[in-house]
Amino acid sequence: MDPRIQLPNQHSKNNLKKTAFSFMVPFLLFGLLFFGLVFYYYYQLRFGDITNIPTTLQSESITISTNLAKQENNTKTIQTIPIRPFNPTFGNKKNPKIKVVSFIDFECPYCQQSYTTFRAIMEKYQNDVLFVFKHLPIEDLHPNSMKTAISATCAHEQNQFFDYYDMLFSYTTYDTASFIAYAEGIGLEKTQFQTCLDNKTSEQQIIDDITDAISLDIVGTPTYFVNDTRVVGSQSFSIWDNLLSQ
C-alpha cells in the first residue's frame, strides 16, 4: 500500500457523520415547518374558520402592476370590501351566505387562465354565494385594458354583462371591431353600445373600482375577497370548493 494514502480512522469517520448530520438538520426542520403550515392551511380551509387566515392563498399566478404597487394609499383602512351600485353581480342577491368580490383585468393572462374554473364555481354556487365583479385594468402592462373594461360596462348598461364577459374571455381579442362583434353576438343594441363605447360614459365607474383596489392595497390581478379574506392569484377548482363549501 502506498504510504502516502491515509485511510480515514474511526475518529475521522465520526466527524464526517457529525458534519453530515449537522448539514441535514436545517433541511429537516424546514421540511417539518413547511408540511406543518400546509396541514394548518388545509385544516382551516376544510374544517376551520377561514377568517383566521389573514391571507388565505397567495398564488404566483398573478399579474403584478408596478403602477399599482407604487400608489400611496391615503385612505383609511377599509373595514368592508366596497360593493358599488354599478358593480355587476351574479348569484344570490337577497341573502348570500358568502360574498366573493373579484378584481379582474380582462387582458391579464392569469385572469384568462382562471376564467373557466371560476365560471364553473360561479355556476355551482350561484344559489348560496353572491359574486361581485370589479374592474382593475392594468394599463402599464395592457394598454388597451381600459377600453376593454369600458366595453364591458357598455354591455352591463344593457343588462348583459356576464354574457359579454364570457365573450371577452372566450375570444381574447381586444379591439373596437371585436367589441362590436361580441356585442352583436349576444344581441346588444349596436348603436347604443357604440355610443357608450365612443363616449366613455362609464369610465368613472372603472376609476372608482381602481380607487377601491388601491385602498385595499391590491397590486395585481386576479385578486379576490371571500367575505373579508383575501385570495390572490389563479386558484384550482378544489381550492375554490374548499373556500365556498363552509
Side-chain angles (χ1 to χ4, degrees):
M1 178 182 293
D2 190 334
R4 292 171 296 176
I5 300 175
Q6 299 294 321
L7 294 177
N9 55 32
Q10 188 62 38
H11 179 71
S12 299
K13 290 180 179 179
N14 288 339
N15 285 340
L16 286 171
K17 289 179 180 179
K18 289 179 180 179
T19 302
F21 181 75
S22 299
F23 181 75
M24 292 173 62
V25 165
F27 290 96
L28 291 171
L29 291 174
F30 176 80
L32 288 171
L33 178 62
F34 175 78
F35 286 108
L37 286 172
V38 169
F39 177 79
Y40 170 75
Y41 281 112
Y42 172 79
Y43 185 87
Q44 288 293 335
L45 288 172
R46 185 65 179 168
F47 305 108
D49 180 1
I50 61 174
T51 58
N52 288 336
I53 307 175
T55 300
T56 305
L57 293 166
Q58 173 73 50
S59 167
E60 293 182 358
S61 301
I62 180 174
T63 299
I64 301 293
S65 165
T66 53
N67 282 355
L68 280 174
K70 291 176 182 177
Q71 293 289 336
E72 183 178 357
N73 180 2
N74 293 319
T75 62
K76 294 181 180 179
T77 301
I78 294 179
Q79 299 301 319
T80 57
I81 311 305
I83 299 174
R84 298 178 180 271
F86 54 77
N87 289 144
T89 57
F90 179 88
N92 188 332
K93 300 177 184 180
K94 293 183 178 180
N95 57 342
K97 296 178 181 178
I98 297 174
K99 293 179 182 178
V100 177
V101 180
S102 57
F103 287 82
I104 300 294
D105 174 358
F106 286 107
E107 298 189 43
C108 157
Y110 297 114
C111 295
Q112 294 167 0
Q113 173 184 302
S114 66
Y115 161 70
T116 303
T117 296
F118 192 66
R119 198 66 166 104
I121 285 293
M122 289 170 63
E123 294 293 335
K124 179 175 180 178
Y125 288 97
Q126 62 180 304
N127 293 330
D128 299 316
V129 177
L130 176 65
F131 295 91
V132 182
F133 182 96
K134 294 178 79 69
H135 292 279
L136 187 53
I138 301 178
E139 292 184 272
D140 50 318
L141 296 176
H142 311 130
N144 207 36
S145 58
M146 175 59 86
K147 189 168 186 178
T148 304
I150 290 171
S151 75
T153 63
C154 293
H156 186 44
E157 185 181 87
Q158 298 189 45
N159 300 313
Q160 286 186 250
F161 174 82
F162 284 102
D163 290 334
Y164 191 80
Y165 166 101
D166 292 336
M167 297 292 276
L168 288 174
F169 276 129
S170 297
Y171 293 98
T172 65
T173 302
Y174 308 108
D175 55 54
T176 301
S178 298
F179 298 152
I180 294 171
Y182 301 155
E184 291 184 305
I186 61 173
L188 297 183
E189 204 288 310
K190 181 179 178 181
T191 302
Q192 182 182 345
F193 179 85
Q194 180 79 65
T195 301
C196 174
L197 189 61
D198 291 342
N199 294 342
K200 301 181 180 180
T201 52
S202 54
E203 186 174 24
Q204 185 58 48
Q205 296 178 10
I206 299 166
I207 293 171
D208 288 344
D209 280 348
I210 295 171
T211 300
D212 292 341
I214 294 169
S215 300
L216 293 162
D217 296 318
I218 294 173
V219 297
T221 55
T223 296
Y224 309 89
F225 289 87
V226 179
N227 290 338
D228 295 330
T229 304
R230 188 183 305 247
V231 179
V232 180
S234 176
Q235 307 296 334
S236 68
F237 189 93
S238 61
I239 291 295
W240 278 116
D241 231 7
N242 286 333
L243 284 167
L244 301 182
S245 61
Q246 301 297 317

